[in-house]
PDB file of all heavy atoms in Angstrom:
ATOM      1  N   PHE A 190      32.069  54.626 -24.506  1.00 98.00           N
ATOM      2  CA  PHE A 190      31.046  53.659 -24.118  1.00 98.00           C
ATOM      3  C   PHE A 190      30.138  53.405 -25.324  1.00 98.00           C
ATOM      4  O   PHE A 190      29.400  54.287 -25.734  1.00 98.00           O
ATOM      5  CB  PHE A 190      30.249  54.191 -22.931  1.00 98.00           C
ATOM      6  CG  PHE A 190      31.078  54.305 -21.682  1.00 98.00           C
ATOM      7  CD1 PHE A 190      31.806  55.459 -21.423  1.00 98.00           C
ATOM      8  CD2 PHE A 190      31.159  53.229 -20.787  1.00 98.00           C
ATOM      9  CE1 PHE A 190      32.579  55.553 -20.288  1.00 98.00           C
ATOM     10  CE2 PHE A 190      31.937  53.319 -19.650  1.00 98.00           C
ATOM     11  CZ  PHE A 190      32.657  54.474 -19.392  1.00 98.00           C
ATOM     12  N   ALA A 191      30.249  52.207 -25.882  1.00 98.00           N
ATOM     13  CA  ALA A 191      29.441  51.796 -27.035  1.00 98.00           C
ATOM     14  C   ALA A 191      28.445  50.765 -26.581  1.00 98.00           C
ATOM     15  O   ALA A 191      28.788  49.602 -26.375  1.00 98.00           O
ATOM     16  CB  ALA A 191      30.348  51.233 -28.144  1.00 98.00           C
ATOM     17  N   THR A 192      27.190  51.188 -26.401  1.00 98.00           N
ATOM     18  CA  THR A 192      26.188  50.294 -25.820  1.00 98.00           C
ATOM     19  C   THR A 192      24.938  50.288 -26.707  1.00 98.00           C
ATOM     20  O   THR A 192      24.771  51.139 -27.578  1.00 98.00           O
ATOM     21  CB  THR A 192      25.785  50.768 -24.394  1.00 98.00           C
ATOM     22  OG1 THR A 192      25.337  52.131 -24.430  1.00 98.00           O
ATOM     23  CG2 THR A 192      26.987  50.655 -23.464  1.00 98.00           C
ATOM     24  N   ALA A 193      24.068  49.304 -26.446  1.00 96.00           N
ATOM     25  CA  ALA A 193      22.883  49.136 -27.268  1.00 96.00           C
ATOM     26  C   ALA A 193      21.789  50.128 -26.897  1.00 96.00           C
ATOM     27  O   ALA A 193      21.827  50.764 -25.820  1.00 96.00           O
ATOM     28  CB  ALA A 193      22.357  47.724 -27.108  1.00 96.00           C
ATOM     29  N   GLU A 194      20.845  50.265 -27.769  1.00 94.00           N
ATOM     30  CA  GLU A 194      19.645  51.054 -27.509  1.00 94.00           C
ATOM     31  C   GLU A 194      18.951  50.523 -26.273  1.00 94.00           C
ATOM     32  O   GLU A 194      18.733  49.328 -26.150  1.00 94.00           O
ATOM     33  CB  GLU A 194      18.698  51.012 -28.735  1.00 94.00           C
ATOM     34  CG  GLU A 194      17.341  51.588 -28.493  1.00 94.00           C
ATOM     35  CD  GLU A 194      17.384  53.053 -28.153  1.00 94.00           C
ATOM     36  OE1 GLU A 194      17.954  53.827 -28.963  1.00 94.00           O
ATOM     37  OE2 GLU A 194      16.890  53.414 -27.065  1.00 94.00           O
ATOM     38  N   GLU A 195      18.591  51.411 -25.342  1.00 93.00           N
ATOM     39  CA  GLU A 195      18.078  50.954 -24.053  1.00 93.00           C
ATOM     40  C   GLU A 195      16.559  50.743 -24.059  1.00 93.00           C
ATOM     41  O   GLU A 195      16.025  50.069 -23.194  1.00 93.00           O
ATOM     42  CB  GLU A 195      18.439  51.956 -22.963  1.00 93.00           C
ATOM     43  CG  GLU A 195      19.952  52.043 -22.754  1.00 93.00           C
ATOM     44  CD  GLU A 195      20.339  53.051 -21.697  1.00 93.00           C
ATOM     45  OE1 GLU A 195      19.426  53.534 -20.975  1.00 93.00           O
ATOM     46  OE2 GLU A 195      21.527  53.354 -21.593  1.00 93.00           O
ATOM     47  N   ARG A 196      15.852  51.326 -25.015  1.00 89.00           N
ATOM     48  CA  ARG A 196      14.404  51.093 -25.077  1.00 89.00           C
ATOM     49  C   ARG A 196      14.161  49.607 -25.386  1.00 89.00           C
ATOM     50  O   ARG A 196      14.793  49.041 -26.259  1.00 89.00           O
ATOM     51  CB  ARG A 196      13.761  51.945 -26.191  1.00 89.00           C
ATOM     52  CG  ARG A 196      13.665  53.427 -25.845  1.00 89.00           C
ATOM     53  CD  ARG A 196      13.043  54.197 -26.972  1.00 89.00           C
ATOM     54  NE  ARG A 196      13.804  54.000 -28.227  1.00 89.00           N
ATOM     55  CZ  ARG A 196      13.389  54.437 -29.425  1.00 89.00           C
ATOM     56  NH1 ARG A 196      12.226  55.040 -29.545  1.00 89.00           N
ATOM     57  NH2 ARG A 196      14.136  54.221 -30.479  1.00 89.00           N
ATOM     58  N   SER A 197      13.251  49.019 -24.648  1.00 90.00           N
ATOM     59  CA  SER A 197      12.898  47.605 -24.823  1.00 90.00           C
ATOM     60  C   SER A 197      14.059  46.672 -24.478  1.00 90.00           C
ATOM     61  O   SER A 197      14.095  45.527 -24.894  1.00 90.00           O
ATOM     62  CB  SER A 197      12.431  47.305 -26.256  1.00 90.00           C
ATOM     63  OG  SER A 197      11.317  48.103 -26.606  1.00 90.00           O
TER      64      SER A 197
END
Side-chain angles (χ1 to χ4, degrees):
F190 294 87
T192 57
E194 170 61 58
E195 296 179 11
R196 287 180 303 172
S197 303

